[in-house]
Amino acid sequence: MTDTAVDTEVPAADQHPVGNPLSDGLRHGRVPLPSVLVIFGATGDLTKRKLVPALYALAADGLLPPGFSIVGAGRSEQSTETFREAMREAVAKYGRVPLREDLWSVFSDGMRYCEFDLDADDGLNDLAENLEELDRERGTSGNRIFYFSIPPSGFAPLAERLGREGLTREEDGGFRRMIIEKPFGRDLDSARELNGKLHLAFGEEQVYRIDHYLGKETVQNLLVFRFGNGIFEPLWNRQYIDHVQITVAENIGVEGRGGYYEESGALRDIIQNHVIQLMAIVGMEAPSKVHGETVRDEKVKLLRAVRPIHPDDALSHTVRGQYAAGWIDGERVPGYREETGVAENSLRETFVAMKVDIDNWRWAGTPFYLRTGKRLPKRATEIAIQFRRVPHSPFGGRVETPAGLLPKDSIDPNLLVLRIQPDEGITLRFSAKVPGQSMRIRTVNMDFLYGSAFLTESPEAYERLLLDCMLGDRTLFAREDEVEEAWRICTAILDGWRSQPPDREGTANYESGTWGPEAARDFMARDGRQWRRL
Ligand SMILES: NC(=O)c1ccc[n+]([C@@H]2O[C@H](COP(=O)([O-])OP(=O)(O)OC[C@H]3O[C@@H](n4cnc5c(N)ncnc54)[C@H](OP(=O)(O)O)[C@@H]3O)[C@@H](O)[C@H]2O)c1
C-alpha cells in the first residue's frame, strides 16, 4: 500500500503480545511502523483539543503500532507526569472515545515531556536524548514525525533548527516527517519563501501540510461518489452542469481570536485552503488511482486551469463583507469591530463571495461560485451542483414552485447537494408529479444521510490524517504546488482589494444572522442565478 505500511493479514494476536490494548484492532487495518510523534507546542490549544485525543482514539481502535510514543515539547517547565495528567484530562474532555484506564495506562507509558524554547540557544539536546532513549526502550527505530503546533512565525526557524541539528536526515533508515498547520504563508510570495525554507531541512516528500477538511469522511466520500459510481461522471461537465456553488457558512464570530483574524480574514482563513481544496476535488479529472501523487497531480492541474483574476478585476469577481451587530439564535451579538482585538476602523473581511472560471474542456462556461462568512444564520458546508434546465418542457400549463404557480418551462433544474457538515449526506432534487387528476409538477428530494446509512461513528479528521502521515500516505495533504496555485488565485484578489479599499461604512455591510451583504445577491443576479437557501 505504501512504503511504510505493514500488511496485517496475520491476526494481531500472532504479531503482538496478547492483552496489549493498543493491538486489539490490528486485524485488517493499515498498521504503521513504530514511531515517535514529537509535538512542538505541546502546551497549546491544538494539542489538547485535537492531537492527543485523536491519537488516543487511534489507540482505542487498535490502529497504533506497539511502541508508538509521543514527546511533548514545550516552553514551560513541567514533569512528564504533569504533562501526562494534563493530556489525560484533555482526552477525557475532548476525546471521541471514552477514557479507559487500562488503555490510558499503556498509551501514556509512551509519553514524555521535554522543554524546548525556539528562542533559546541550547535548543534540542534534551529532545535528542529522549528520542534516542525511546528508540532503545520502545523500538521506534529512528522513525520520527515532528508536528509543528506552534505559531506560524516559528515554522521556518524550527525547520532550520531541526535541520542544523541533524534531526531531519533519514540516513539510518528511519523516516523523518514534519506536519504543519495552515496558514502556509499569507500570500504567494510568503508561501514560496516558506516552502523554500522548509526544503532546506526537509524534502517535499517529508512535508505533510494539514488541511483538516481533507481528513473529513464526507470529503473523502466525494472521491468515492465521483469515481466509484458510473452514473454521475458522464454528466459531470459543462454540457449538463450550469454552475457549482460551494458554501462554508459559520454562525460563530471570531470567538476571542480577533487579533488572529485581523491578520487573516475570510479569504486567507477559509477560501485559500478549505474551499479551494473542495473545488479542486469537485472539478478535477479522474485520477488513475487514489493513492500517492495521482490525486494531487489532478488537483494541481485543475487549479492551474483557473482563469487568473487581474487585481483590477477583483471587485467585479468578488464581494467582500464584514458583519455588523445582529441576532443569532435569538441572542444579540456584537459587530466585528466591537470584538476584542479588532481595530474599531477595521476593514478586514469576514465574508467573501467570488466567481471562478475554469478554462478547460470540462468546465469552460460553467462557473464555480464560492462563498464563506462568519455570523451567517447557520453553520453549514456544502457543495451544490446545479444542473441545466430541461431544454423544453412538454407538459404545458403551470407548475407548483415555492414562488407560486409558474409556467411549466420554469420547472426547477436538477440539483445535487453534497453536504459536508453538519448533517453529512447527499441530496438529489428532481421533479415529480403531484398525485391527482391533473399534471401538476413539484420538485422532491431524495436523501442519503451518512449517519443513518452507516451505523459506525466516523473518525475525526485528525485521526485519519495522523495515521496517514505515520503510514507515509500523502494523498490527503496539500502539496507545495497546490498551495502555491491556491495562493496565486487569492493573492491577485488581495492585491486588488488593497488598491481599492472599501469606505469605512461600506465594509460593515451585513447584519449578523443574515446571509451576507446585499451585494452578494446582486452579484449572482447579474449572472441570472441565485445563491441556494440553506
Ligand atoms: N487550534 C486550532 O484548532 C488550530 C486550527 C488550525 C490551525 N492551527 C495552527 O496550529 C498551530 C498551533 O495552534 P494552537 O491553537 O495550539 O496555538 P496556541 O494555543 O497559541 O499554542 C501555541 C504553542 O506554541 C508554543 N510556542 C510559542 N512560541 C514558542 C517558542 N518560541 N518556542 C517554543 N514553543 C513556542 C506555545 O508555548 P507556551 O504555552 O509556552 O506559550 C504553545 O504550546 C498554529 O500554527 C495555528 O495557526 C490551530
Side-chain angles (χ1 to χ4, degrees):
M1 194 174 285
T2 70
D3 48 353
T4 53
V6 176
D7 192 319
T8 54
E9 286 304 299
V10 186
D14 297 346
Q15 294 182 24
H16 303 293
V18 178
N20 174 359
L22 294 188
S23 64
D24 276 355
L26 293 180
R27 288 176 182 84
H28 305 291
R30 304 180 300 161
V31 184
L33 296 173
S35 61
V36 185
L37 179 76
V38 181
I39 306 177
F40 294 102
T43 48
D45 181 62
L46 187 69
T47 305
K48 67 169 186 282
R49 277 198 313 114
K50 297 287 180 190
L51 303 183
V52 174
L55 291 164
Y56 180 79
L58 288 174
D61 287 348
L63 294 169
L64 290 183
F68 173 79
S69 309
I70 300 170
V71 176
R75 275 194 298 202
S76 39
E77 202 181 323
Q78 61 175 309
S79 66
T80 286
E81 268 324 305
T82 313
F83 177 63
R84 284 181 183 163
E85 192 43 40
M87 294 304 109
R88 187 180 187 284
E89 279 170 26
V91 169
K93 184 164 178 195
Y94 301 109
R96 176 176 68 83
V97 293
L99 192 76
R100 245 175 54 200
E101 288 308 327
D102 58 339
L103 177 61
W104 176 257
S105 147
V106 178
F107 179 74
S108 62
D109 249 7
M111 224 180 234
R112 307 269 187 284
Y113 180 82
C114 73
E115 270 176 62
F116 168 71
D117 186 345
L118 192 50
D119 305 318
D121 291 334
D122 52 352
L124 296 162
N125 297 344
D126 194 13
L127 174 66
E129 275 169 29
N130 265 291
L131 290 173
E132 279 164 27
E133 198 178 293
L134 286 168
D135 282 349
R136 278 195 308 276
E137 289 177 6
R138 297 179 58 86
T140 43
S141 312
N143 295 321
R144 276 144 212 183
I145 298 171
F146 301 107
Y147 204 116
F148 287 33
S149 188
I150 56 170
S153 57
F155 291 170
L158 177 56
E160 192 267 334
R161 180 80 71 86
L162 290 169
R164 184 153 36 94
E165 308 247 352
L167 286 166
T168 63
R169 285 197 293 273
E170 296 184 322
E171 289 152 356
D172 57 2
F175 62 72
R176 312 285 196 278
R177 295 173 187 149
M178 66 161 302
I179 304 182
I180 54 170
E181 284 278 344
K182 65 159 198 178
F184 315 123
R186 45 180 290 107
D187 54 23
L188 181 56
D189 286 346
S190 57
R192 282 188 177 140
E193 190 186 329
L194 174 63
N195 284 333
K197 286 184 174 161
L198 296 181
H199 288 159
L200 295 175
F202 293 92
E204 177 60 20
E205 69 293 345
Q206 293 171 283
V207 180
Y208 290 71
R209 296 177 192 80
I210 280 207
D211 182 328
H212 73 268
Y213 258 56
L214 296 183
K216 286 181 186 291
E217 283 287 313
T218 32
V219 173
Q220 293 161 54
N221 191 40
L222 241 174
L223 290 169
V224 177
F225 183 81
R226 280 199 61 192
F227 306 122
N229 292 296
I231 58 170
F232 302 112
E233 204 48 27
L235 308 179
W236 211 261
N237 58 54
R238 61 186 301 281
Q239 265 183 301
Y240 298 98
I241 296 178
D242 177 72
H243 73 277
V244 177
Q245 292 184 21
I246 303 181
T247 302
V248 175
E250 297 180 285
N251 55 2
I252 54 170
V254 290
E255 306 298 293
R257 296 173 73 221
Y260 160 78
Y261 211 76
E262 280 285 88
E263 292 296 312
S264 80
L267 189 77
R268 287 189 176 96
D269 195 41
I270 303 285
I271 300 276
Q272 188 275 337
N273 35 70
H274 308 322
V275 178
I276 288 186
Q277 283 290 341
L278 294 179
M279 178 178 80
I281 296 175
V282 172
M284 72 185 196
E285 297 302 311
S288 55
K289 54 186 175 196
V290 176
H291 169 60
E293 296 308 313
T294 49
V295 171
R296 306 204 292 181
D297 289 344
E298 293 305 335
K299 284 198 286 173
V300 169
K301 277 191 229 162
L302 187 280
L303 297 181
R304 287 198 185 121
V306 168
R307 187 182 306 162
I309 296 174
H310 190 277
D312 292 347
D313 299 327
L315 295 192
S316 59
H317 281 71
T318 65
V319 173
R320 58 192 152 171
Q322 186 188 84
Y323 62 81
W327 295 87
I328 300 255
D329 293 335
E331 246 181 67
R332 184 83 185 148
V333 291
Y336 177 67
R337 289 179 192 163
E338 298 152 53
E339 303 272 14
T340 315
V342 173
E344 62 90 29
N345 58 353
S346 172
L347 299 180
R348 180 56 66 210
E349 85 286 356
T350 62
F351 176 97
V352 182
M354 63 188 275
K355 177 180 177 179
V356 174
D357 292 299
I358 297 173
D359 289 332
N360 65 17
W361 274 49
R362 187 186 283 268
W363 296 116
T366 292
F368 281 57
Y369 295 94
L370 317 179
R371 74 175 156 164
T372 185
K374 285 198 175 289
R375 286 268 161 79
L376 302 185
K378 65 196 271 199
R379 170 174 171 259
T381 297
E382 66 154 53
I383 298 161
I385 316 285
Q386 171 86 68
F387 289 90
R388 293 193 187 282
R389 287 179 190 280
V390 290
H392 161 70
S393 167
F395 303 110
R398 295 163 88 74
V399 59
E400 282 191 0
T401 75
L405 282 176
L406 293 173
K408 281 261 167 58
D409 56 5
S410 18
I411 291 176
D412 278 341
N414 296 113
L415 181 78
L416 180 71
V417 180
L418 305 147
R419 286 189 308 280
I420 311 290
Q421 62 188 18
D423 307 311
E424 293 95 335
I426 297 172
T427 297
L428 180 66
R429 184 179 76 186
F430 57 91
S431 296
K433 181 185 173 302
V434 179
Q437 303 304 338
S438 61
M439 181 58 89
R440 285 164 60 212
I441 298 172
R442 198 161 71 197
T443 53
V444 291
N445 287 337
M446 194 156 74
D447 267 327
F448 156 74
L449 282 171
Y450 225 79
S452 43
F454 299 102
L455 296 174
T456 52
E457 197 186 0
S458 293
E460 286 275 329
Y462 278 94
E463 295 171 36
R464 170 65 195 250
L465 295 171
L466 285 164
L467 184 64
D468 277 3
C469 178
M470 291 177 213
L471 289 160
D473 186 345
R474 295 187 297 274
T475 312
L476 299 178
F477 294 85
R479 200 167 63 191
E480 168 188 25
D481 48 0
E482 271 178 77
V483 169
E484 292 182 9
E485 283 302 323
W487 274 123
R488 176 183 65 78
I489 299 164
C490 292
T491 303
I493 296 170
L494 289 166
D495 288 347
W497 283 355
R498 201 173 309 115
S499 59
Q500 303 163 83
D503 58 43
R504 192 180 182 288
E505 294 315 312
T507 310
N509 53 7
Y510 69 97
E511 214 176 283
S512 289
T514 66
W515 281 105
E518 278 294 323
R521 261 147 281 173
D522 302 344
F523 176 79
M524 280 298 249
R526 275 206 307 269
D527 285 358
R529 300 182 172 112
Q530 54 189 9
W531 293 109
R532 236 175 75 69
R533 285 167 67 94
L534 290 140

